Amino acid sequence: MSYAGTLRRRPPEPMKLPPWRARLLFLLLLAGMGGLVVRSAYLQGFHDTFLQSKGNARYSRDIEISAHRGMITDRFGEPLAVSTPVESIWANPEDVEATAQQLDKLAKVLHLGKDELASKLANRDKGFVYLKRQLPPDEAEKAVRLKIPGVALHREYRRFYPGAEVTAHLLGFTGVDDNGQEGLELLLQDQLAGMAGSERIIKDARGHVVEDVANVRPPKPGTDVALSLDSKLQYLAFREIRLAVESHHAKAGSIVVLDAKNGEVLALANWPSYNPNNRERPAMQTMRNHAVTDLFEPGSTMKPFTAAAALEAGKVRPDTLINTENGAYVVGGHKIRDTHSASSMTVSEIIQKSSNVGATKLALSLPPEVFWHNLSEAGFGALTGSNFPGEAYGRLRDFKRWVPIDQATMSYGNGISVNLLQLARAYTVFANDGELQPVTLTRRDVPMVGKKVFSERTAREVRAMLELVVQPGGTAPQAQINGYRVAGKTGTAHKLDGGHYVNKYIASFVGMAPASNPRLIVAVMVDEPAGAQYYGGQVAAPVFSNVMGSALRMMNIPNDAPLGNVLMPPAGEVIGEEV
């Protein structure tokens, strides 16, 4: 055996580390573990809400549940405004995964431009964006069938108005969020709206909604509201004012029907109108409720209040003769004229034939403060109490700033402005034996107490004068109704343009029936009738007759006159009120 074979290799001696290195490594590991423990405790104990929200966002989301808006009905429960379920398409841009072809199809289904859809999905930071709202069910279903991750349905409600343009100005409309924007929808928003709820949904990894987990907060539906409106009367009033405007080639027209006993608005309509079911809104002028928001000079419809003020003050009686100066009278350098001149008239004849000179004499017999007080107490220059959005106050100037010509012109309806609802309400003083009734647009189940303005005697004396207006010799024979006594007053006023009166007119008529015990008041106003006929007795009185006559029969109100009581003046005779 060789010497090399006999040698054995010795194993290398192990490397010995310094003791301090082992201790350092142990301390580092211990510190790292401690840091992890502290971080874990911090995240789970003090920052858990943030982490949970981030985790939940990856698989769940809370979305709003729209509340069902309350229904608006007429006084008998007929629906005037209802909310029906519709589907809206929404998306979480971060979750949307779609090919260009899918997005093209989605844009086509939703009737969106490609650029518009891309813009909605561009912001990846948004967790919720509407792609298209309030779709018909078939279109919504087409969008869902594309199965694009991150795109889902959301149930909402859309408002529908069965009466369309017939009730448009009164009801107004809601916006895309089903919140009131105009009219009673806006006024009654708090009652109708309800309270939205929310629900939690679970999404899969591709963003599809796979399950509704729970209602976080159930929606609270809105309250139904019953209006004072009578749907049948509303349609009747709308039809007649539309026919009047169109047949006289007028600019516009309005009509109001009041319950004379309690001030409930049974009908209120304007023409031109619009369809609130159409989301494309017309011009603001078309959407205005002219019967409430627009002012006009009432003309001769103010004369009964002038006569009532003089009667109440004890200055005259109905048969008192007034010197009407053969139809021309000068006040403060201004000449006041009558179309039909007479040397004298009784107070009743002044109202019957609508004498400006006679009304001026009655007004000037009173101290300005007394005359102003009577007009103010009858509701002029004040809101009606309807609370309709945008209602106009009207204009009744302070008597301290009057000069004699102001008092004179106000006696026959110039220099004072009203809205049609305000004028109709004022006539409740003659229908209710001197008591002014508060106006309401909602059904009134409890009788309201009115305000005493004139004595019972004064109110009845004026009402008797108003009956003469519709008889032959008065200004409105066309306001008569077969089988009923009618009381009312015409008005024909020049319009102001740039501070000057021009040859454009407002034709009006306000009346009540049955005159023996008035149940209804109808006020009609036609703006700028064109052609030869522009007097209130020619343009507005027939509208009153048609609406009032049909309404009395619909309500089965007993006749207070024999059938065949309508008496017309000789053919060709026209008696127009002074303008």
Side-chain angles (χ1 to χ4, degrees):
M1 179 180 294
S2 66
Y3 175 78
T6 60
L7 292 176
R8 293 183 178 178
R9 293 181 179 179
R10 293 181 180 180
E13 292 186 7
M15 181 183 297
K16 292 184 178 180
L17 296 175
W20 64 270
R21 293 185 63 180
R23 289 194 292 269
L24 177 61
L25 180 61
F26 174 75
L27 290 174
L28 289 174
L29 291 173
L30 187 63
M33 292 179 61
L36 291 174
V37 170
V38 171
R39 178 64 175 169
S40 176
Y42 167 73
L43 292 176
Q44 297 186 46
F46 301 99
H47 214 47
D48 62 326
T49 303
F50 171 77
L51 293 175
Q52 288 179 9
S53 65
K54 285 295 185 182
N56 290 339
R58 301 200 177 268
Y59 72 90
S60 71
R61 180 177 300 279
D62 290 348
I63 63 172
E64 184 179 279
I65 307 175
S66 299
H68 186 273
R69 189 173 179 85
M71 182 167 58
I72 300 177
T73 71
D74 80 345
R75 62 185 307 105
F76 301 114
E78 288 295 318
L80 301 176
V82 294
S83 290
T84 59
V86 290
E87 300 290 356
S88 293
I89 304 296
W90 68 277
N92 181 352
E94 186 180 5
D95 294 337
V96 173
E97 297 177 8
T99 64
Q101 185 179 12
Q102 284 179 309
L103 291 178
D104 288 346
K105 289 181 179 179
L106 181 61
K108 186 176 180 180
V109 167
L110 300 182
H111 304 291
L112 295 174
K114 296 179 182 179
D115 292 341
E116 184 180 0
L117 178 61
S119 176
K120 289 176 179 287
L121 297 174
N123 191 344
R124 311 290 286 186
D125 295 330
K126 283 188 176 181
F128 184 98
V129 62
Y130 280 114
L131 301 182
K132 192 67 176 285
R133 302 185 69 175
Q134 301 185 353
L135 286 169
D138 57 334
E139 292 185 19
E141 182 62 28
K142 289 178 183 177
V144 171
R145 281 204 298 266
L146 295 175
K147 296 183 178 180
I148 298 175
V151 176
L153 288 177
H154 177 50
R155 172 63 56 85
E156 291 190 291
Y157 294 93
R158 179 170 178 174
R159 205 67 159 167
F160 286 95
Y161 303 92
E165 59 188 11
V166 176
T167 55
H169 291 106
L170 192 60
L171 298 181
F173 54 85
T174 62
V176 70
D177 292 313
D178 216 22
N179 292 321
Q181 303 293 307
E182 292 284 343
L184 293 179
E185 291 279 27
L186 176 60
L187 175 65
L188 302 171
Q189 170 66 16
D190 290 343
Q191 293 171 254
L192 296 169
M195 185 178 296
S198 63
E199 68 177 349
R200 184 162 296 150
I201 61 171
I202 291 179
K203 303 180 296 180
D204 62 18
R206 301 190 64 193
H208 293 298
V209 176
V210 296
E211 184 181 359
D212 295 336
V213 179
N215 285 333
V216 177
R217 185 180 69 250
K220 181 181 178 182
T223 305
D224 294 345
V225 176
L227 302 184
S228 57
L229 218 64
D230 182 324
S231 294
K232 293 180 180 178
L233 286 183
Q234 177 69 18
Y235 175 78
L236 173 66
F238 175 83
R239 182 191 69 190
E240 292 299 324
I241 196 63
R242 178 177 181 174
L243 287 173
V245 170
E246 292 177 343
S247 62
H248 292 282
H249 307 288
K251 179 180 178 181
S254 301
I255 184 169
V256 172
V257 181
L258 288 185
D259 186 314
K261 299 302 182 185
N262 62 13
E264 287 183 319
V265 177
L266 301 179
L268 187 155
N270 301 279
W271 184 258
S273 187
Y274 66 99
N275 187 349
N277 295 310
N278 188 345
R279 289 296 184 188
E280 294 182 5
R281 302 300 178 201
M284 280 300 300
Q285 184 66 15
T286 304
M287 292 192 292
R288 290 174 64 86
N289 186 349
H290 298 287
V292 183
T293 63
D294 287 12
L295 298 176
F296 64 97
E297 289 193 344
S300 295
T301 56
M302 285 297 297
K303 289 173 182 172
F305 298 93
T306 303
L311 290 168
E312 192 75 2
K315 297 290 184 179
V316 293
R317 297 264 45 97
D319 58 356
T320 301
L321 273 175
I322 303 296
N323 180 4
T324 49
E325 309 288 347
N326 289 313
Y329 186 55
V330 177
V331 177
H334 301 271
K335 184 171 284 188
I336 295 169
R337 297 182 181 276
D338 283 347
T339 302
H340 308 282
S341 60
S343 59
S344 62
M345 295 184 190
T346 66
V347 175
S348 294
E349 288 173 332
I350 287 170
I351 300 302
Q352 179 188 25
K353 299 184 182 297
S354 199
S355 167
N356 287 349
V357 173
T360 295
K361 289 286 192 79
L362 293 176
L364 293 178
S365 71
L366 301 170
E369 183 177 2
V370 172
F371 187 44
W372 177 90
H373 177 77
N374 279 273
L375 296 182
S376 178
E377 287 294 289
F380 296 107
L383 297 177
T384 62
S386 71
N387 296 320
F388 192 88
E391 179 182 350
Y393 276 85
R395 182 170 178 259
L396 176 62
R397 289 181 296 154
D398 190 336
F399 66 91
K400 295 176 183 177
R401 298 199 300 270
W402 289 0
V403 294
I405 190 60
D406 294 327
Q407 189 165 339
T409 57
M410 236 175 285
S411 72
Y412 52 84
N414 287 2
I416 182 173
S417 61
V418 301
N419 66 57
L420 192 63
L421 180 60
Q422 188 181 58
L423 185 59
R425 182 204 180 202
Y427 269 71
T428 63
V429 300
F430 305 128
N432 287 286
D433 295 336
E435 194 172 275
L436 180 70
Q437 291 296 315
V439 165
T440 179
L441 292 166
T442 54
R443 190 178 63 197
R444 183 174 284 161
D445 296 320
V446 179
M448 298 291 289
V449 178
K451 178 178 69 173
K452 198 69 173 176
V453 177
F454 299 120
S455 67
E456 180 179 331
R457 177 177 176 177
T458 294
R460 292 194 173 195
E461 287 174 343
V462 173
R463 197 160 77 222
M465 297 177 195
L466 296 177
E467 283 197 72
L468 296 175
V469 172
V470 305
Q471 298 299 318
T475 57
Q478 293 186 67
Q480 294 178 85
I481 300 171
N482 192 22
Y484 293 96
R485 289 165 52 190
V486 172
K489 185 68 187 78
T490 52
T492 308
H494 283 288
K495 292 188 70 174
L496 279 168
D497 187 2
H500 301 282
Y501 289 103
V502 296
N503 287 327
K504 296 178 181 179
Y505 302 93
I506 295 284
S508 59
F509 185 88
V510 187
M512 61 199 74
S516 58
N517 182 23
R519 293 287 305 278
L520 298 176
I521 293 172
V522 176
V524 181
M525 184 274 287
V526 179
D527 187 6
E528 292 187 25
Q533 293 189 336
Y534 56 85
Y535 286 122
Q538 298 170 318
V539 176
V543 180
F544 165 88
S545 179
N546 292 340
V547 173
M548 179 67 85
S550 297
L552 293 173
R553 290 185 285 272
M554 285 168 53
M555 298 173 67
N556 294 317
I557 295 175
N559 297 90
D560 66 342
L563 296 177
N565 64 312
V566 174
L567 301 173
M568 300 302 291
E573 179 181 335
V574 176
I575 300 181
E577 59 275 4
E578 313 305 332
V579 294

